[in-house]
Amino acid sequence: KVQALGGMNSNIGIDIVEYGEGGPFDIVINTYSTNDMHIISMNEAMKKNTTLEESLLDVSQEFIRTVLDDSKRCKGHKLPLVLYYNDYMGNEQKGILEIDAYSRVMSTLTSYYGIGQLSYAHMMKHTIFGDTDEEIFSPSGWPERQIHPGRGFHTITPWLFLYYSIEMATTYC
């Protein structure tokens, strides 16, 4: 059984894992990076009188802990494979440190909890930042306020997951 939902952030992902149907899950892939870095998330952080990075750390850690909560698991059901996928290229924030906030949080939490991470953003950053007129891998209209990557992203993403799956299987199996 597969459950996939888009256009949300980690706060809604927590509710889906906590109260949604279909669980417990065998594989959970968090791909909320773009929406977690959205202006709405920035405004929520400001309302809490905190930085976006601190807010991301809090909500991402809550998401991971909710997914890994053993008390919600059926007897004998193992913990799920949890992966974080970063596709956020940045243009909601105007500074390099702010753009990379999600990457820093993701790196910290995935190493702490021992879960996987993949990053289209890190792989393509030099190409996209180096040529802002490039249209295959960049979000349409980038670096203006357009956050969703285009056809190159949608072509590369399945290959990234395939590579990661092969790497994981040859390393751990």
Side-chain angles (χ1 to χ4, degrees):
K1 185 174 186 178
V2 175
Q3 183 175 16
L5 304 161
M8 294 173 246
N9 63 16
S10 291
N11 282 319
I12 296 172
I14 292 166
D15 290 340
I16 291 167
V17 171
E18 184 91 32
Y19 306 108
E21 293 183 29
F25 303 101
D26 295 316
I27 300 173
V28 175
I29 304 172
N30 180 311
T31 59
Y32 297 130
S33 62
T34 296
N35 291 328
D36 282 348
M37 295 293 289
H38 195 272
I39 188 71
I40 294 170
S41 298
M42 292 167 60
N43 290 339
E44 287 174 358
M46 282 193 300
K47 285 180 190 173
K48 295 178 191 173
N49 198 28
T50 188
T51 66
L52 177 60
E53 189 166 352
E54 290 167 340
S55 181
L56 285 169
L57 182 69
D58 291 343
V59 73
S60 297
Q61 185 161 251
E62 185 180 349
F63 179 87
I64 293 167
R65 288 179 175 177
T66 301
V67 169
L68 298 178
D69 184 358
D70 256 350
S71 68
K72 303 205 179 349
R73 205 156 305 292
C74 300
K75 187 175 181 174
H77 199 275
K78 295 182 180 181
L79 291 174
L81 169 65
V82 181
L83 302 173
Y84 259 69
Y85 184 59
N86 180 13
D87 64 356
Y88 181 68
M89 294 310 304
N91 59 5
E92 292 283 76
Q93 299 78 28
K94 300 302 178 196
I96 293 172
L97 289 177
E98 291 86 5
I99 288 171
D100 276 346
Y102 188 86
S103 294
R104 286 191 302 276
V105 167
M106 182 176 76
S107 180
T108 299
L109 292 177
T110 56
S111 65
Y112 183 82
Y113 286 98
I115 59 179
Q117 66 171 319
L118 297 96
S119 181
Y120 172 83
H122 274 298
M123 184 178 78
M124 298 308 300
K125 196 170 282 189
H126 296 291
T127 301
I128 294 169
F129 287 6
D131 180 6
T132 57
D133 293 326
E134 184 279 320
E135 295 181 359
I136 295 173
F137 303 107
S138 304
S140 169
W142 197 90
E144 299 306 319
R145 193 177 179 277
Q146 174 52 266
I147 56 176
H148 190 71
R151 69 182 182 270
F153 160 77
H154 289 92
T155 303
I156 289 172
T157 295
W159 290 103
L160 275 174
F161 276 93
L162 176 63
Y163 173 80
Y164 187 82
S165 298
I166 292 168
E167 183 72 21
M168 193 171 45
T170 58
T171 302
Y172 298 107
C173 293

